[in-house]
Amino acid sequence: MSDTSSTHSTSAPAARTAAAAYPRIVCAPDSFKGSASAPAAAAALARGARTAYPHAAVTELPFADGGEGTLDALLAVWGTPRRTVDTVDALGRAASAAFGISPDGTTAVIEAAQANGLPQVSDVPLQPERADTFGVGLIARAVLDLGVEEILLCIGGSASTDGGVGIAAALGARFVDAGGASVTPGGGGLAAVAAVDTTDLDPRARTVRWRIAVDVDNPLTGPRGAAAVFGPQKGADAESVTVLDTGLGHLAEVLAASPTEAEALAATPGFGAAGGIPLVLTTLFGAEVVPGSTMVAETVGLAAALAEADIVLTGEGSFDSQSLGGKVVAAVRHHAPASARVIVIAGRVGLSPAQCREAGITAALSIAPGPADLTTLSERAEALIEDTAAHACALVAAGSTTQ
């Protein structure tokens, strides 16, 4: 009995010493928008961590919240190349879009903005009632041809407000008016939809699993809906907002089995994302709408990667109250062990130490070495991320040796 107690009492300090000298460190940042991609930020954090802990086990896990940068983050984790396909932009002009396929070939990731994003149509006057998602559907058709079983659709930054009609149309569905003719593409034609003809719909569109990543909780219609909130940034004036909002509400009525169901569809949180894309994909294809960070976390195996971490380095361009509401930092903190030190490295830190502690964040450090403009910080982002991570880990190491 005494031998067992003696062994335990001497091995515990030794174990703590080993953990302090050789911690398990996971680097799981979002991108620093316009400055460093998530893979580049993860690599910079890892370099900084190894400066303080040369012999630590360091894991790089680029992360994202389902919006811009998710494709690059997943490709980095999967280790698969970016692929491209010919498609069209939100106005029907020829374009090229990137997508990714998992190592086992079963899962595809599509960023909808590759085909219906605002930047691609910024060279001409915005056409909010004409812009549609047909090009996104062409990407989906291409990945179905590759035999995938699941499509991860990341939406956001769209120029369109068509409820996802264009995606379904590219896959063979027809949205027809009272005379049986196909309605005009774009949100401006939704009010004329009388029925949906799925005779020629690609059957794979209904057998594949769709997961739609959203990062907003706006409903489909109303004052917080897709048209009212996001329409103006797509060029919609007050009259166009009314046209688009009315059209989306009418489309919900056409797709629903009853007026009660139509009201439920119009009020569902998240259905207002990217011009209402979730509406058609959920009703016709059985798509699931999930928070973007949740979808990415499941896809990259975040929980397993963080399970035994001693130090977790995460970060993003701006760390503020929004970061704690379903974004990358919140997801990382949620999955990290309670015993792990979670350190946020950001371009800008907008939370107080007390707010960080309340959120379970050990510390939040800005990469700015002093007064600096955004251009300077962006140009040196990766080096500054590395330096700040090195400082943070050195402080942790110093604290560990005094315990």
Side-chain angles (χ1 to χ4, degrees), residues 102-390:
S102 63
D104 62 5
T106 63
T107 302
V109 57
I110 297 173
E111 285 187 1
Q114 290 274 330
N116 77 324
L118 276 168
Q120 289 91 332
V121 294
S122 61
D123 60 318
V124 296
L126 295 176
Q127 301 179 47
E129 295 181 33
R130 165 65 187 85
D132 75 349
T133 56
F134 191 85
V136 182
L138 293 180
I139 306 174
R141 194 165 70 190
V143 302
L144 289 174
D145 288 341
L146 295 174
V148 302
E149 300 172 6
E150 178 178 23
I151 295 176
L152 308 179
L153 181 61
C154 304
I155 59 178
S158 70
S160 57
T161 310
D162 74 344
V165 163
I167 295 174
L171 294 171
R174 292 184 64 238
F175 294 79
V176 299
D177 60 22
S182 296
V183 300
T184 303
L190 297 181
V193 176
V196 183
D197 180 357
T198 59
T199 303
D200 295 323
L201 177 66
D202 189 328
R204 300 173 300 177
R206 284 177 163 163
T207 57
V208 73
R209 181 189 185 192
W210 294 81
R211 284 199 287 166
I212 308 173
V214 301
D215 61 359
V216 299
D217 63 358
N218 300 73
L220 183 69
T221 61
R224 292 190 63 249
V229 174
F230 305 111
Q233 69 190 36
K234 304 175 186 185
D237 57 18
E239 182 178 350
S240 286
V241 166
T242 299
V243 169
L244 296 170
D245 188 71
T246 300
L248 289 171
H250 174 71
L251 180 62
E253 294 173 355
V254 173
L255 293 169
S258 67
T260 300
E261 183 182 341
E263 291 178 5
L265 289 173
T268 300
F271 271 36
I277 281 178
L279 176 61
V280 166
L281 269 63
T282 55
T283 54
L284 289 188
F285 304 156
E288 307 164 51
V289 176
V290 296
S293 59
T294 299
M295 184 191 79
V296 179
E298 292 177 358
T299 304
V300 303
L302 181 67
L306 295 177
E308 298 183 350
D310 299 303
I311 300 171
V312 179
L313 300 177
T314 184
E316 59 188 345
S318 179
F319 179 55
D320 52 33
S321 59
Q322 292 187 6
S323 305
L324 305 178
K327 300 292 186 178
V328 165
V329 172
V332 170
R333 172 61 271 187
H334 174 72
H335 289 285
S339 60
R341 290 180 169 90
V342 178
I343 300 171
V344 177
I345 308 295
R348 170 185 170 275
V349 174
L351 296 181
S352 68
Q355 289 173 310
C356 289
R357 286 195 300 271
E358 184 178 350
I361 303 298
T362 305
L365 306 176
S366 170
I367 65 172
D373 58 61
L374 182 59
T375 300
T376 300
L377 291 177
S378 295
E379 291 174 348
R380 299 185 56 211
E382 292 180 37
L384 292 172
I385 293 169
E386 178 181 343
D387 289 347
T388 308

